[in-house]
Amino acid sequence: MTPTNRRGVLRAGAGLAAGGALAAGCGAGRTAPPSASSSAPPSAAPAPHAVSAPPAPAPRAYPGRPAQITHGPRSRPQVALTFHGQGDPALARALLATAERHGARLTVLAVGSWLDEHPDLARRVLDGGHDLGNHTQHHVDINALAEPDARREITDCAARLARLTGSVGTWFRPSRTSAASPLVARLARAAGYPHVLSYDVDSLDYTRPGAAAVTREVLAGARAGSVVSLHFGYPDTVAALPDVLTELGRRGLRAVTTTELLS
């Protein structure tokens, strides 16, 4: 990235605190599972927002694809950049705008409690031509939960998405893990998601390694068909995205939604 580009990207996230507002990476740490008697905050219904646009796309099955998808076809020059959706909304908007300026389309797996706080971002994602999906309600270690709690994490986020967009979202990704347990995969299917979306490239951006390191990590692993895991909420990711997209383009790889990758 040139100094000019870097200053422009960083200005988009200027004034944002890098502390408590930042999202925790799904590959980092574990969160104690809530139980029915837990002190975890109850799920609050989002403020009413009329769905003025047509309903968002619903989940669909991809025959021949596994229940847990880690990558798309290796025969087409496309990759899917997928983002765990939480954190400061200004950083989210900066990432979306950067992608759109480069002609890229992303996949955003939104946390339900984040949508409760920022309901307008659901439609912002869709209006930009990006995929929107479910990343659980509270971003806890879903594989460690008892069945009723795991089900509630999936269905509560699905309800938020349905209220805001008319659809439960096109994808489900489990929180704080790269792969769903058999129980969580079964609960996701019951909630209407035929596939669990995993990934084959982890950017490690949640470790805050700096923009250059995020760029190197993505480009070292990305190839045709790759699904890359990234996060909203980190300035490093905002700063890295232009270089990531430029280099992918130089290699002849186009960043598309996961739906397009698999279609």
Side-chain angles (χ1 to χ4, degrees):
M1 176 184 293
T2 67
T4 300
N5 287 341
R6 180 175 297 278
R7 285 196 298 271
V9 172
L10 292 179
R11 278 199 298 269
L16 300 174
L22 300 183
C26 280
R30 292 288 181 242
T31 297
S35 65
S37 59
S38 161
S39 61
S43 300
H49 282 257
V51 180
S52 57
R60 55 179 285 194
Y62 293 86
R65 290 283 159 193
Q68 299 207 49
I69 292 174
T70 58
H71 63 82
R74 299 297 190 187
S75 57
R76 297 201 298 268
Q78 300 173 334
V79 297
L81 303 182
T82 67
F83 285 80
H84 305 234
Q86 62 175 347
D88 193 297
L91 289 177
R93 292 188 181 96
L95 277 164
L96 293 169
T98 297
E100 290 155 14
R101 284 195 298 272
H102 283 76
R105 295 297 176 262
L106 312 177
T107 299
V108 178
L109 295 313
V111 175
S113 58
W114 185 69
L115 291 176
D116 288 344
E117 296 176 3
H118 312 290
D120 60 302
L121 283 172
R123 183 53 60 183
R124 169 65 184 89
V125 169
L126 294 170
D127 288 348
H130 311 285
D131 273 359
L132 181 64
N134 178 334
H135 195 37
T136 75
Q137 180 62 23
H138 296 107
H139 201 258
V140 293
D141 181 4
I142 193 168
N143 282 348
L145 300 183
E147 181 169 343
D149 299 315
R151 178 185 295 108
R152 190 159 48 247
E153 282 293 314
I154 298 169
T155 58
D156 281 4
C157 185
R160 270 50 174 186
L161 288 164
R163 290 175 187 174
L164 294 170
T165 72
S167 165
V168 297
T170 46
W171 299 100
F172 168 74
R173 172 170 286 169
S175 48
R176 295 192 176 271
T177 180
S178 61
S181 68
L183 169 63
V184 170
R186 175 171 62 80
L187 294 174
R189 285 193 301 274
Y193 303 97
H195 303 277
V196 170
L197 182 59
S198 185
Y199 47 87
D200 65 326
V201 179
D202 189 347
S203 69
L204 301 177
D205 58 350
Y206 57 86
T207 66
R208 302 179 177 90
V214 172
T215 301
R216 285 194 303 271
E217 199 70 33
V218 172
L219 296 175
R223 58 192 179 106
S226 283
V227 176
V228 182
S229 170
L230 295 137
H231 294 76
F232 284 174
Y234 293 90
D236 289 350
T237 312
V238 180
L241 188 59
D243 281 352
V244 168
L245 292 172
T246 297
E247 179 59 20
L248 288 175
R250 193 187 67 78
R251 297 179 184 183
L253 295 173
R254 190 163 61 97
V256 300
T257 65
T258 307
T259 297
E260 184 175 351
L261 184 74
L262 295 169
S263 297

